[in-house]
């Protein structure tokens, strides 16, 4: 034997029987005995006729057999040119592999036969002139006992190095064929974080343990008893149990039905995916009922069905591969005691082969630890689940998956979760957040406790607050839900709320979960890309958890950095109410830019009243002609993700270049790459910091506030074309049925060149009407009845322009031509059913009449019914030397004119005799008094650093003076409570 043969003679598979003693000369016959697989050298059989043994010039240890020259044989008889005797220890269907090298297409075939049966020809058409393993026969039935394998050349030049027989249909040899056990070949973990360990020799331990089974049985019984009551939760649980038992009952044989026959190629993948989805449901049902019913047959069926799933459901994309891995982990763990060593080894080897094809790879070291596809199921459910299932046989899978999660994934989420929101928006946010919660459940049920920050539980509050009365969500980031939810339906993320509410015993989220269950039953599109699965419903849901009505939550909520966002409402609604009087406003400063599905929208706002009035423009998924458009399309990269598609500020610098895009929209700089780690995210040189919250406050109380205030520094979001930029928002709940709310936006912008044109944007669905300094936007189609009136107080004599309409809906100004360029997209074909997309078609652009380095924009928006005969409220500027101010209805709001906070003294004039509530912002920290017409002040208001505001009642016309003191010299004022909410219409 040469040295390579010695090294490879005993591949270390657990079930392998050693090579039987036999002659190693060319004249002898090599007899090999095996149970699972065996690799042997081609030159160690009987070699006859023109075959020769040679040595590879580039691999001195590689010897092979070859027919160097000669004619093609006319008859493929069974002459024993190469003959091998093999001893199969068990009867099975085997796979025959050979390691071959074909120098060219004229030497790429051979004849082979087994036990003198009919000869078969094998054609090799892979890469030439290199050693590769090729599958000669996918199914070679061998009974237990000796067999003869023969090979005859067809074309001269084909080289054969090694031969493999294996009964593992999924196994593919690599390299020269050494195959150490999967346990020993896995790389060690390099993570230094302390890992909680799965309980050894205890199964089940994935998602449930033996101590959980009786509770699950009790819940099934309770769901059955309460099937006829009106509880959506118990109805859903009973239905889930019904489906699980039906899947198990409908497959009594434990074998999968034949897969669909290929039909229309366009539908083949879709049909296979549907088939595999139903097959997976059956496997899960069988595995679960094996535990719940103590049914051994059900468990054995799950194992045999999983074998069929492995063979049939070979869909090579990461999410489908992940479903296979997760499903196999469930079967492995829940049916562990019914499996033998060979079966367990096969599952682990399949895992390695499958996981290596995932985007995150195996070991799972690829992609970002902060965002992206790595933040989905492939690590947080699939590979983690496999690691827990396999832990008795190999610790490596768990150490690699859990090690990366705990060392690299937790810290970025701690940063994000403190904001009680998610950076990936209204669609991808819930989707990716759900996988974090799923991982939390997996760790907890394994016995590790809570490994994620406890602030994780509040993330869904972002979607509670941005729920619109029409059942949709305020758009944020790459929003796909509109394209999958029918119009006039309640968008759902049932699994998100169920998993979080049950994990954290969260009563508000439980209330929303039950609401979504009830409303989904009424929808023609109930799943809409955010389905919940029956297994999670019956294993993880807590029906005994009480709920608290979300309508009792405070009307406004601040979502801290890195979100830096305020959501303000005038009320809550129930279900889908197109004519609800509730107003919803979102005001975003921002913090960090996480890329991927996040937009360049620092400073963006939206406003909803009986329809979306100030909107987020563009479309994530659509069509251009007949071609699907989505992530990275021309529309997406040149318009949809860009600042121009948002209610934000443009500063146009001629010739400015943006990464990976053709357009210069004048907006915020594009950071294309996702941050790989928390360290990369927080490193200033990488440019992910785009804004800083300067002030925020909700007052005078949190429950039904009169105002919601947010101010931020947004200059970091732009290139050096901007040297200073702050945006201040004040949302006023006017508590007036006819004029329910107003949104004030003050921008102070300084560019590095006065010729860089500044443009303030306001997007809409319907065409706006312009009249001098006023823009009016209606939303009075499709059952809506809202109207927005925007008055531009500053710049004085501003230029208002409307852009949009047919063939200009998504247009960007091109300075080189002086024209607008449209980046079109159309809605997907919903086959006659109206869906919820809301891409918009118009915008108002507000710019100064004269160019200047520094400009101030002061816009006051109010909302009312579109069909109201009442005039809008007057918006009167307030006279002050040091402050910009406006009076609207019974409120006055004031902002500092300078960039610095007000200090010392400041004054303003009020012309009305009415009693008004006054909000002063931009005050320095300290104690401030207010006096009217020179009368001495009687109280002092404490102004904090985080808010910088004072809120007081002004009793009539006159001159008001504010004075600052470093310490208290006067009594504190009595507590000022919020104005009462109006009676419902």
């Amino acid at each position: 034997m040469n040295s390579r043969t010695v090294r490879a003679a005993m591949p270390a598979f657990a079930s392998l029987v050693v090579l039987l003693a036999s002659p190693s000369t060319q004249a002898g016959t090599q007899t090999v005995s095996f149970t699972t697989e065996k690799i042997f050298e081609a030159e160690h059989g009987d070699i006859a006729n023109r075959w020769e043994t040679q040595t590879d010039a580039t691999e001195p240890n590689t010897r092979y057999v070859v027919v160097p020259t000669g004619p093609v044989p006319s008859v493929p008889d069974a002459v024993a040119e190469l003959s091998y005797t093999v001893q199969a220890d068990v009867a099975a269907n085997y796979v025959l592999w050979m390691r071959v090298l074909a120098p060219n297409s004229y030497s790429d075939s051979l004849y082979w036969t087994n036990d003198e049966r009919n000869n078969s020809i094998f054609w090799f058409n892979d890469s030439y002139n290199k050693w590769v393993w090729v599958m000669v026969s996918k199914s070679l039935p061998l009974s237990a006992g000796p067999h003869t394998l023969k090979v005859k050349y067809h074309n001269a030049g084909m080289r054969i190095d090694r031969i493999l027989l294996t009964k593992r249909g999924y196994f593919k040899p690599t390299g020269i064929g050494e195959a150490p056990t999967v346990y020993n070949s896995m790389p060690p973990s390099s993570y230094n974080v302390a890992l909680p360990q799965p309980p050894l020799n205890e199964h089940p331990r994935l998602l449930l343990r033996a101590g959980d089974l009786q509770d699950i049985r009790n819940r099934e019984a309770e769901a059955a008893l309460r099937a006829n009551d009106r509880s959506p939760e118990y109805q859903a649980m009973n239905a889930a149990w019904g489906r699980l038992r039906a899947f198990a009952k409908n497959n009594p044989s434990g074998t999968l039905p034949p897969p669909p026959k290929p039909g229309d190629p366009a539908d083949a993948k879709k049909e296979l995916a549907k088939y595999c989805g139903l097959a997976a449901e059956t496997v899960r049902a069988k595995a679960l009922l094996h535990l719940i019913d103590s049914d051994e047959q059900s468990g054995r069926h799950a194992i045999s069905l999983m074998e069929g799933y492995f063979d049939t459901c070979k869909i090579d994309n990461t999410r489908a591969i992940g479903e296979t891995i997760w499903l196999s982990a469930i079967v492995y763990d829940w049916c562990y005691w019914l499996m033998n060593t060979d079966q367990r080894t096969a599952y682990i080897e399949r895992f390695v082969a499958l996981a290596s094809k995932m985007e995150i790879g195996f070991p799972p070291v690829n992609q970002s630890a902060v965002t992206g596809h790595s933040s989905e199921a492939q690590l947080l459910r699939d590979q983690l689940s496999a690691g827990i299932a396999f832990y008795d046989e190999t610790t490596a899978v768990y150490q690699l998956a859990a090690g990366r999660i705990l060392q690299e994934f937790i810290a970025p989420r701690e940063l994000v979760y403190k904001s009680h929101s998610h950076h990936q928006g209204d669609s991808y946010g819930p989707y990716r957040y759900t996988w974090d919660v799923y991982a939390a459940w997996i760790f907890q049920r394994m016995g590790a406790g809570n490994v994620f920050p406890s602030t994780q539980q509040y993330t869904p509050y972002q979607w509670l607050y941005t729920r619109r009365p029409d059942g949709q969500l305020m758009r944020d980031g790459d929003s796909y839900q509109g394209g999958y939810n029918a119009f006039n339906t309640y968008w759902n993320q049932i699994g998100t709320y169920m998993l979080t509410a049950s994990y954290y015993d969260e009563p508000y989220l439980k209330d929303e979960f039950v609401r979504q269950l009830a409303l989904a039953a009424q929808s023609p599109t109930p799943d809409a890309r955010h389905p919940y699965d029956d297994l999670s419903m019956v294993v993880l849901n807590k029906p005994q958890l009480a709920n608290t009505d979300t309508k009792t939550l405070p009307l406004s909520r601040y979502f801290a950095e890195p979100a830096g966002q305020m959501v303000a409402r005038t009320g809550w609604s129930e279900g889908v109410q197109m004519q609800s009087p509730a107003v919803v406003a979102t005001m975003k400063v921002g913090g960090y830019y996480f890329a991927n599905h996040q937009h360049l929208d620092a400073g963006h706002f939206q406003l909803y009243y009986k329809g979306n009035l100030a909107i987020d423009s563009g479309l994530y998924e659509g069509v251009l002609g007949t071609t699907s458009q989505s992530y990275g399309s021309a529309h997406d990269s040149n318009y949809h993700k860009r600042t121009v598609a948002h209610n934000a500020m443009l500063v146009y610098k001629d010739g400015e270049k943006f990464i990976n895009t053709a357009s210069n929209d004048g907006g915020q700089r594009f950071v294309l790459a996702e941050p790989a780690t928390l360290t990369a995210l927080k490193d200033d040189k990488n440019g992910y910091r785009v804004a800083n919250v300067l002030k925020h406050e909700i007052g005078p109380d949190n429950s039904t506030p009169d105002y919601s205030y947010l101010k931020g520094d947004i200059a970091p979001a732009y290139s050096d074309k901007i040297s200073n930029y702050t945006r201040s928002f004040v949302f006023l709940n006017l508590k007036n049925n006819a004029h329910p709310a107003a949104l004030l936006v003050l921008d102070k912008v300084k560019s590095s060149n006065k010729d860089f044109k500044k443009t303030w944007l306001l997007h809409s669905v319907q065409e706006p009407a312009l009249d001098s300094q006023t823009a009016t936007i209606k939303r009075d189609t499709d059952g809506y009845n809202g109207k927005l009136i925007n008055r531009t107080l500053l710049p004085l004599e501003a230029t208002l322009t409307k852009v949009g309409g047919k063939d200009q809906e998504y247009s960007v100004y091109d300075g080189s031509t002086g024209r607008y360029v449209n980046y079109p997209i159309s809605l997907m074909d919903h086959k006659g059913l109206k869906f919820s997309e809301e891409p918009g078609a118009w915008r108002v652009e507000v710019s100064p009449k004269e160019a200047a380095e520094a400009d101030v924009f002061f816009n006051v928006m109010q909302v009312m019914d579109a069909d109201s005969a009442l005039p809008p409220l007057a918006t009167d500027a307030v006279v002050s030397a040091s402050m910009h101010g406006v009076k609207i209805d019974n409120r006055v709001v004031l902002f500092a004119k300078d960039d610095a906070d007000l200090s010392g003294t400041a004054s303003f004039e009020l012309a009305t005799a009415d009693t008004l509530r006054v909000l002063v912002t931009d005050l320095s920290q300290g104690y401030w008094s207010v006096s009217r017409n020179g009368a001495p002040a009687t109280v002092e208001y404490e102004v904090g650093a985080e808010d910088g505001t004072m809120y007081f009642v002004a009793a009539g016309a006159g001159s008001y003076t504010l004075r600052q003191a470093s310490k208290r010299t006067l009594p504190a004022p009595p507590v000022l409570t919020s104005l009462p909410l109006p009676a419902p219409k």
Side-chain angles (χ1 to χ4, degrees):
M1 270 188 195
N2 59 45
S3 61
R4 218 286 303 282
T5 306
V6 172
R7 190 171 66 247
M10 293 182 62
F13 286 98
S15 60
L16 191 62
V17 180
V18 299
L19 188 67
L20 295 179
S22 60
S24 58
T25 63
Q26 290 188 6
T29 299
Q30 180 87 13
T31 302
V32 292
S33 175
F34 63 98
T35 298
T36 301
E37 55 263 303
K38 186 62 189 176
I39 298 173
F40 51 94
E41 300 287 348
E43 67 268 24
H44 290 163
D46 264 348
I47 300 175
N49 208 340
R50 296 185 177 88
W51 290 93
E52 298 178 6
T53 300
Q54 298 183 2
T55 300
D56 193 304
T58 60
E59 293 185 14
N61 287 330
T62 298
R63 302 185 71 200
Y64 58 86
V65 293
V66 64
V67 174
T69 60
V72 175
S74 58
V75 179
D77 57 41
V79 174
E81 295 191 340
L82 294 177
S83 181
Y84 307 88
T85 299
V86 295
Q87 177 83 23
D89 293 348
V90 295
N93 279 323
Y94 291 85
V95 181
L96 174 63
W97 292 84
M98 292 185 185
R99 187 175 189 251
V100 300
L101 184 153
N104 50 56
S105 60
Y106 301 104
S107 54
D108 61 353
S109 57
L110 53 82
Y111 292 105
W112 70 277
T113 186
N114 174 53
D115 292 339
E116 307 294 340
R117 290 185 173 88
N118 293 334
N119 297 289
S120 300
I121 189 168
F122 168 73
W123 293 91
F124 168 64
N125 55 4
D126 207 328
S127 301
Y128 298 113
N129 208 30
K130 65 179 182 180
W131 288 107
V132 292
W133 282 97
V134 295
M135 184 188 293
V136 178
S137 174
K138 185 177 182 180
S139 179
L140 178 59
L142 297 180
S143 59
H147 298 271
T148 303
L149 174 67
K150 297 182 179 182
V151 180
K152 182 184 178 79
Y153 79 96
H154 180 218
N155 298 119
M158 169 75 87
R159 304 174 187 179
I160 307 174
D161 173 29
R162 314 189 84 193
I163 300 171
L164 165 67
L165 278 165
T166 176
K167 70 176 184 179
R168 305 183 195 226
Y170 55 86
F171 176 72
K172 181 177 181 179
T174 57
I176 59 172
E178 286 106 341
T181 67
V182 69
Y183 319 123
N184 296 331
S185 66
M186 287 188 191
S189 171
S190 61
Y191 302 110
N192 56 19
V193 65
L195 290 181
Q197 302 303 315
L200 282 170
N201 298 313
E202 179 187 328
H203 296 273
R205 61 191 178 208
L206 173 60
L207 286 181
L208 54 83
R209 296 170 74 177
D212 299 311
L213 296 178
Q214 189 55 49
D215 182 47
I216 296 171
R217 294 183 188 111
N218 293 342
R219 279 183 271 166
E220 180 185 15
E222 185 177 9
L225 287 173
R226 299 184 59 176
N228 294 323
D229 72 15
R230 301 183 67 182
S231 165
E233 183 175 16
Y234 281 104
Q235 289 178 351
M237 290 193 69
N238 193 60
W241 275 113
R243 286 188 292 269
L244 286 166
R245 292 201 171 275
F247 273 116
K249 183 179 179 181
N250 292 340
N251 192 300
S253 66
T255 58
L256 290 179
K261 293 182 179 180
D264 183 351
D267 293 330
K269 288 184 178 179
K270 188 182 296 184
E271 288 301 312
L272 180 60
K274 182 178 178 181
Y275 168 88
C276 292
L278 294 174
E281 293 278 11
T282 304
V283 175
R284 284 194 289 269
K286 293 277 191 180
L288 178 64
L289 296 179
H290 159 59
L291 298 176
I292 298 301
D293 299 342
S294 301
D295 181 0
E296 181 176 319
Q297 184 186 51
S298 185
R300 295 197 181 280
H301 281 178
I303 295 169
S304 62
L305 288 165
M306 191 68 224
E307 290 295 326
Y309 190 94
F310 277 132
D311 291 339
T312 305
C313 296
K314 297 177 180 179
I315 305 174
D316 280 344
N317 67 67
T318 285
R319 289 174 180 151
I321 290 170
E323 289 290 330
T324 302
I325 289 173
W326 180 55
L327 191 63
S328 67
I330 287 174
V331 173
Y332 189 102
D333 181 58
W334 294 1
C335 305
Y336 181 88
W337 305 112
L338 303 177
M339 299 173 72
N340 59 38
T341 300
D342 275 358
Q343 287 173 315
R344 293 175 193 147
T345 300
Y347 271 58
I348 298 170
E349 290 173 350
R350 282 190 178 104
F351 162 80
V352 174
L354 288 168
S356 300
K357 298 178 182 179
M358 301 178 96
E359 293 174 4
I360 202 168
F362 184 78
V365 297
N366 299 334
Q367 301 185 306
S368 165
V370 180
T371 188
H373 287 181
S374 56
S375 295
E376 297 178 359
Q378 54 178 330
L379 179 64
L380 293 162
R381 182 194 66 179
D382 306 331
Q383 294 202 29
L384 176 63
S385 296
I388 293 170
F390 303 156
Y391 194 73
D392 293 325
E393 287 66 47
T394 174
T395 62
V397 178
Y398 174 76
Q399 290 170 342
L400 290 165
R404 188 170 186 211
I405 290 170
L406 297 185
Q407 183 159 308
E408 296 185 6
F409 277 55
I410 300 299
R413 281 149 182 80
E414 189 170 13
L415 172 71
V416 171
Y417 290 156
K418 73 179 184 180
S419 72
H420 297 181
S421 63
H422 200 285
H423 45 77
Q424 294 296 286
D426 68 71
S427 297
Y428 282 98
Y431 179 72
R432 289 183 176 164
Y433 165 78
T434 301
W435 296 121
D436 288 357
V437 181
Y438 214 94
W441 267 112
I442 291 171
F443 278 112
Q444 186 198 68
R445 281 287 173 89
M446 184 193 80
N450 188 12
V451 303
F452 284 83
S454 60
T455 47
Q456 181 186 64
Q457 85 176 79
Y458 300 110
T459 300
Y461 276 67
Q462 173 187 9
W463 307 303
L464 283 179
Y465 272 84
T466 55
R467 175 73 62 178
R468 295 171 13 175
D470 64 352
Q472 302 179 35
L473 295 178
M474 302 293 273
R475 304 303 197 265
D476 185 15
D478 285 344
S479 178
Y480 58 70
Q481 293 199 65
Y484 296 89
N485 281 277
F487 182 70
N488 209 27
T489 60
Y490 197 88
W491 292 7
N492 79 74
Q493 306 95 16
I494 292 173
T496 304
Y497 286 92
M498 182 272 286
L499 290 169
T500 313
S502 295
Y503 187 86
Y504 287 106
D505 293 337
E506 227 296 341
Y508 289 111
L509 302 185
K510 175 62 177 287
D511 185 62
E512 179 64 13
F513 158 59
V514 174
R515 178 180 294 108
Q516 291 191 15
L517 276 177
L519 293 170
Q522 305 168 18
S523 171
T525 53
D527 293 337
R529 298 286 291 268
H530 284 276
Y532 65 95
D533 62 274
D534 291 336
L535 185 70
S536 297
M537 176 67 80
V538 303
V539 170
L540 302 177
N541 185 42
K542 292 181 181 177
Q544 71 275 17
L545 175 64
N547 57 306
T548 301
D549 193 344
T550 54
K551 295 191 292 297
T552 63
L553 285 167
L555 291 178
S556 291
R557 191 177 181 97
Y558 171 61
F559 298 89
E561 289 189 309
Q565 178 170 273
M566 187 86 76
V567 181
R569 310 178 63 97
T570 63
W572 299 94
S573 55
E574 185 71 38
V576 178
Q577 296 184 25
M578 305 291 282
Q579 296 303 311
S580 166
V583 182
V584 187
T586 61
M587 300 161 274
K588 177 185 287 189
V589 167
Y592 287 104
Y593 176 66
F594 290 83
N596 200 214
H597 296 292
Q598 189 175 356
H599 289 186
L600 303 174
D601 62 353
H604 176 49
F605 64 86
Q606 294 177 78
L607 193 56
Y608 179 99
Y609 172 68
K610 296 186 178 179
N612 208 9
L613 298 169
I615 73 163
D616 191 328
S617 179
L619 205 59
Y620 175 58
E621 289 184 299
V623 294
L624 185 60
T626 59
T627 304
S628 296
Q629 302 287 294
S630 184
Y631 192 94
S633 70
H635 172 83
D636 185 55
S637 59
N638 288 285
Y639 181 83
H640 174 243
K641 277 190 173 65
R642 305 286 290 281
T643 312
V644 69
H646 302 84
N647 301 315
M649 183 68 66
L650 303 181
V651 178
Y652 186 83
K653 175 184 178 181
D654 191 34
E656 185 174 14
K657 301 294 184 183
F658 292 82
I659 297 173
N660 205 40
T661 61
S663 67
N664 173 7
D665 70 331
Q668 295 162 19
R669 54 188 177 78
F670 214 146
V671 183
L672 188 63
E674 299 163 8
T677 62
L678 178 62
T679 300
L681 178 74
K682 299 178 80 170
D683 190 334
D684 289 344
K685 73 175 184 292
N686 293 328
Y688 294 111
R689 168 64 81 168
V690 295
N692 298 278
V693 173
L694 301 176
K695 310 283 185 183
H696 64 90
E697 188 188 28
I698 298 169
D701 65 57
N702 287 331
S703 181
T704 58
D706 290 352
Y707 65 87
S708 304
Y709 166 58
L710 180 65
K711 178 182 179 181
D713 171 18
I714 308 176
Y718 296 81
S719 67
D720 59 5
K721 65 187 177 184
I722 286 184
S723 56
N724 186 67
Y725 176 25
T726 61
R727 171 165 275 192
S728 298
F729 301 101
V730 173
F731 176 83
L732 296 175
N733 184 350
L734 297 175
K735 300 176 180 178
N736 176 329
N737 281 332
H739 303 93
L743 176 62
L744 287 58
V745 182
L746 180 84
D747 297 277
K748 291 184 280 190
V749 193
K750 186 176 182 180
S751 59
S752 57
N753 186 310
K754 72 178 183 64
D755 293 325
F756 295 165
K757 182 182 179 182
K758 306 177 187 71
T759 304
W760 187 92
L761 301 178
L762 177 62
H763 287 268
S764 62
V765 174
Q766 295 176 215
E767 183 177 0
L770 304 183
D771 181 12
S772 183
Q773 304 295 286
T774 301
T776 301
I777 294 170
K778 288 185 178 182
R779 187 75 176 94
D780 59 357
T781 62
D782 302 318
Y784 294 112
N785 187 37
K787 180 167 64 175
L788 178 153
I789 301 98
N790 179 64
R791 171 86 184 281
T792 299
L793 298 179
L794 294 172
L796 297 174
E797 298 183 358
T799 300
L800 274 63
T801 307
K802 60 182 175 182
V803 177
K806 183 174 171 53
D807 298 328
Q808 288 297 315
E809 301 95 332
Y810 318 111
S811 56
V812 179
Y813 179 73
D814 183 351
S816 64
T817 63
R819 297 179 179 179
Y820 284 92
V821 176
N822 197 42
Y823 294 93
I825 194 169
S826 299
L827 303 185
M828 293 184 288
D829 180 10
H830 299 301
K831 304 187 185 309
L833 185 63
K834 183 176 176 58
F835 273 60
S836 304
E837 297 108 323
E838 198 173 63
W842 293 90
R843 69 177 181 262
V844 176
E845 297 187 343
V846 180
S847 293
K849 190 173 183 179
E850 302 293 335
E853 285 187 1
D855 288 286
V856 176
F857 295 77
F858 192 6
N859 288 275
V860 179
M861 289 162 273
Q862 59 178 290
V863 296
M864 58 189 298
D865 287 358
D867 61 2
S868 173
L870 295 173
L873 297 169
T875 51
D876 300 320
V878 174
V879 176
S880 172
S882 56
M883 293 181 283
H884 300 296
V886 65
K887 173 192 171 294
I888 180 168
D889 199 21
N890 59 353
R891 312 292 181 85
V892 172
V893 180
L894 296 145
F895 306 90
K897 285 185 175 179
D898 293 337
D899 292 334
D901 286 345
L902 295 165
S903 61
T905 63
S907 62
F908 62 92
E909 302 284 335
L910 293 180
T912 179
D914 298 337
T915 297
L916 303 172
R917 291 201 166 198
V918 179
L919 174 66
V920 184
T921 71
D922 297 330
L923 295 174
S924 297
Q925 184 177 7
Y927 297 92
W928 287 80
S929 64
V930 55
S931 62
R932 174 171 169 258
N933 296 332
T938 58
V939 296
E940 282 178 336
Y941 298 82
E942 184 175 3
V943 174
E946 283 195 346
D947 54 83
T949 63
M950 182 168 59
Y951 191 55
F952 61 93
V953 175
S959 176
Y960 287 80
T961 301
L962 311 176
R963 287 187 175 85
Q964 182 187 23
S966 58
K967 60 182 181 180
R968 185 176 292 283
T969 60
L970 295 171
V975 175
L976 182 62
T977 58
S978 293
L979 291 166
L981 289 171
K985 288 184 179 180

